[in-house]
Amino acid sequence: MTAMTAVLFRNGLVLTMDDAHTVLPGADVLVVDERVAEVGVGLTAPPGAVEIDATGGIVMPGMIDTHRHLWQTAMRGYGADWTLTQYFVWYYLESGRHFRPEDIYAGNVLGALEALDAGVTTTVDWSHGLQTPQHADAAADALESVPGRFVLAYGNIQQGPWEWATSPEFRDFVSRRVGGNDLLGFQMAFDVTGDPAFPERAAFEVARDLGVPVTTHAGVWGATNDDGIRLMHEHGFMTPSTVYVHAATLTHDSYQRIAATGGSVSVSTESEQSAGQGYPPTWQLRDHGIPVSLSMDTSVWWSGDLFSAMRATLGADRSREHLQAHDRAETVTHVHLRAEQVVDWATRGGSRALGLDSVVGSLQPGRKADVVLLKNDDSPVMFPILNPYGHVAFQAQRGDVHTVLVNGRIVKRDHKLVGADLAKARRDVERTVEHLIATMGPEAWARGMNPDIPATKVLDNPYTYTEWTNA
C-alpha cells in the first residue's frame, strides 16, 4: 500500500472556476494524492503534507490548450514573418517531410515542457507530422516522458486522412498505444476540404468506429470553408466532441450547424491575427452560443503560453467592437467580452471541449489536482491584485508561474521545472536543427526564415510643409 501524499496551498486568492466562479481570498487548497480534497479557509494539513505559501498569489486550475502543434517547437520563431501560405508551402509541400521520428520526439518534449512551465497542464498535441508509425510512436513516447496531461491528436499532412486513417498501421497504433493512461488522451486530427466527393468520410467512419473525437481546422481562409461543415453535417459527423479550430471565416449557417450539434471552437487569436485564417471569431461564437476554448497553435510563430492567448483574444474582440462602433459614428461604453470569460475559456472551456469537465478545469473536491500558483514576490507586476481575472488575463505572464501540479504531482516549484532534463531537450533539438539545415542546405534554410518583403509605396502627403518632389 503506497503512502498518501498531500500538498496544501496556504492563504492564496483562489479562483475555483466552479460553475459559480467562486473567488476565495485568503483561502487554502488541499490536494491528497491525485485529487483536490478540500478548498476553504484555515484547512488542516495532514501529517507530512507539503505546504506551499500562496500569500500574495493566485491559485487557479491548470490551463488547457486545445490545439498546439508540439512537433514544430524545434523550429521556434523560425516563421516569425510567415503568412499562412508560406507555412503551408514549407511544412506541407517542401520541408515537413524531412522530419524524422527523433525530430518529432525532440519537438514534442520541448513543447510539452514549455507548456508546463507556463502553467498549461493539459495540451492537445495536434500532431499532423506523423508520416509513419515510427513517427507516431515517437510522439507518444515524448508525451509520456513528460509529467503533464496531454491529448495526442493523430494526423498526417503527407497523406489524405482517408489513406492514413484506414491503414492497418494506424489501427495497430491505436490498439497498442491508446487507453490505459489517463494522462494521455487521443483524438484524430484532419481537415475537410469541401470536395463534393467527401473523401474524408472514410476517416470519420474510422473515428466513429473507434469512438474517437475529431479535431479539424475549419473556416480557414482559402483552405477549409462552409462546404466542409455542410458535408460533415449532412453525413452525420458533427458531434458534441468535435473541436473546430479557428472557425474564422464561416457563415451564419455553419455556425448554426456547429451550435446545433454541440461542438466547440478552439480560438488561436495570435495565429488568426497574424497568419490570416480570418478575424478571430469570438464575437460570432458569442452570438451563436458556441462554446470556446483557447489555443496558441505553434511556436514556429507565437507565444507558447495562454496568458498571451487571453490577452490577444480580449484585444481582438474589443478592437473589432470599437471599430464597428466608430464606423457608425458611435462609441463603446461597455465591452461585451470580459476578462473573467477568457479565463474561463483558458480553463473550463478547454475541459468542456475535451470531455474532461468532471475531471479537470476547476478547483473542486474530487477533481484531479491540476493546479497552478501565480506568485512572484520579486516582480512589481504581482501586486496589488485587485481584479483577479483581470490580473490573470492582462498582468500575469510565464515568469509568474510559481508552482504547477499535474494529477497531484509537483512538476514546477519556486519558478523551476522539477526533474526536467532541459540539457537533453536542448541537445535533441539542436540535432533536429542541424539535420534540417544539412538536408535543406544553408541557403534554403535561410531563405525559408526570411521571406521576401512586398514592395510598398509611401503616399504623397500634401500636408507635409517641407520641400518635396513627387517622383
Side-chain angles (χ1 to χ4, degrees):
M1 181 176 180
T2 57
M4 179 189 73
T5 60
V7 178
L8 180 63
F9 292 88
R10 179 76 78 187
N11 194 39
L13 177 57
V14 178
L15 302 186
T16 65
M17 303 312 297
D18 61 9
D19 291 342
H21 280 196
T22 305
V23 178
L24 300 172
D28 308 333
V29 175
L30 175 62
V31 171
V32 176
D33 294 330
E34 298 177 354
R35 299 186 182 275
V36 176
E38 291 183 79
V39 180
V41 178
L43 300 183
T44 300
V50 175
E51 292 200 45
I52 297 175
D53 182 10
T55 304
I58 297 172
V59 185
M60 62 180 288
M63 289 170 275
I64 299 171
D65 186 317
T66 52
H67 157 243
R68 184 181 300 211
H69 305 294
L70 290 178
W71 67 285
Q72 298 175 350
T73 311
M75 303 288 292
R76 185 190 307 285
Y78 181 89
D81 297 317
W82 279 355
T83 61
L84 191 62
T85 298
Q86 287 157 336
Y87 170 85
F88 283 150
V89 169
W90 202 96
Y91 274 111
Y92 285 62
L93 301 179
E94 293 181 350
S95 302
R97 60 176 57 90
H98 297 321
F99 282 71
R100 306 162 298 178
E102 55 263 47
D103 303 319
I104 299 293
Y105 183 92
N108 267 26
V109 168
L110 184 62
L113 291 173
E114 175 183 27
L116 289 182
D117 184 61
V120 178
T121 53
T122 301
T123 303
V124 173
D125 176 23
W126 223 99
S127 195
H128 56 354
L130 306 184
Q131 305 173 60
T132 69
Q134 291 74 34
H135 287 76
D137 279 317
D141 289 344
L143 298 180
E144 290 183 335
S145 75
V146 176
R149 195 180 301 277
F150 301 100
V151 176
L152 177 62
Y154 191 114
N156 178 5
I157 55 177
Q158 302 303 328
Q159 282 187 328
W162 54 91
E163 297 174 297
W164 61 258
T166 59
S167 69
E169 293 81 8
F170 175 69
R171 289 278 188 162
D172 175 67
F173 175 85
V174 173
S175 66
R176 289 187 294 106
R177 302 302 301 260
V178 176
N181 180 356
D182 72 347
L183 291 176
L184 183 62
F186 191 71
Q187 294 176 329
M188 288 173 62
F190 58 88
D191 298 339
V192 182
T193 63
D195 180 345
F198 193 40
E200 298 87 1
R201 175 175 186 151
F204 280 110
E205 289 173 341
V206 171
R208 176 180 289 173
D209 182 50
L210 295 173
V212 172
V214 170
T215 176
T216 184
H217 294 111
V220 174
W221 179 261
T224 56
N225 55 36
D226 297 292
D227 289 333
I229 297 293
R230 177 182 53 79
L231 288 165
M232 290 174 63
H233 189 254
E234 289 176 352
H235 289 86
F237 293 120
M238 295 178 73
T239 75
S241 65
T242 306
V243 178
Y244 305 86
V245 177
H246 303 307
T249 56
L250 298 174
T251 62
H252 176 66
D253 180 74
S254 289
Y255 290 123
Q256 284 189 320
R257 293 177 194 257
I258 294 172
T261 54
S264 64
V265 170
S266 177
V267 175
S268 304
T269 306
E270 281 192 297
S271 178
E272 290 132 20
Q273 284 183 314
S274 181
Q277 292 92 337
Y279 201 87
T282 46
W283 55 285
Q284 289 270 43
L285 305 177
R286 285 202 314 277
D287 286 348
H288 291 86
I290 296 172
V292 179
S293 62
L294 299 183
S295 57
M296 57 71 54
D297 206 343
T298 171
S299 292
V300 170
W301 272 285
W302 302 295
S303 315
D305 65 84
L306 291 192
F307 299 110
S308 298
M310 287 185 278
R311 197 164 298 145
T313 300
L314 281 165
D317 192 286
R318 292 176 178 181
S319 176
R320 182 189 176 280
E321 190 170 12
H322 286 297
L323 285 171
Q324 282 204 317
H326 297 171
D327 284 343
R328 300 189 300 267
E330 298 174 357
T331 191
V332 174
T333 58
H334 296 78
V335 292
H336 281 85
L337 185 60
R338 302 302 177 102
E340 181 175 348
Q341 193 164 0
V342 297
V343 175
D344 181 275
W345 290 349
T347 52
R348 290 293 293 276
S351 65
R352 294 184 187 107
L354 300 179
L356 295 174
D357 201 40
S358 64
V359 180
V360 293
S362 59
L363 299 181
Q364 301 181 72
R367 296 295 201 271
K368 288 297 186 77
D370 292 3
V371 187
V372 169
L373 169 61
L374 305 179
K375 177 179 176 178
N376 191 343
D377 293 337
D378 295 323
S379 170
V381 176
M382 283 306 293
F383 63 88
I385 299 174
L386 307 176
N387 177 342
Y389 296 110
H391 213 98
V392 171
F394 276 126
Q395 305 298 320
Q397 51 196 303
R398 173 189 297 274
D400 300 319
V401 177
H402 179 283
T403 299
V404 179
L405 269 64
V406 178
N407 223 37
R409 175 181 175 181
I410 298 175
V411 300
K412 182 177 183 180
R413 186 171 183 186
D414 296 329
H415 303 282
K416 292 183 179 180
L417 290 170
V418 175
D421 192 345
L422 292 179
K424 182 181 184 303
R426 181 191 295 269
R427 290 194 301 272
D428 289 347
V429 164
E430 286 173 347
R431 280 193 285 268
T432 290
V433 173
E434 290 166 359
H435 160 70
L436 291 171
I437 294 174
T439 304
M440 295 172 59
E443 290 185 6
W445 171 265
R447 187 168 58 251
M449 191 165 26
N450 298 283
D452 294 337
I453 301 174
T456 57
K457 180 181 183 296
V458 177
L459 297 176
D460 293 339
N461 185 352
Y463 299 103
T464 301
Y465 298 105
T466 59
E467 292 185 7
W468 61 282
T469 57
N470 186 345

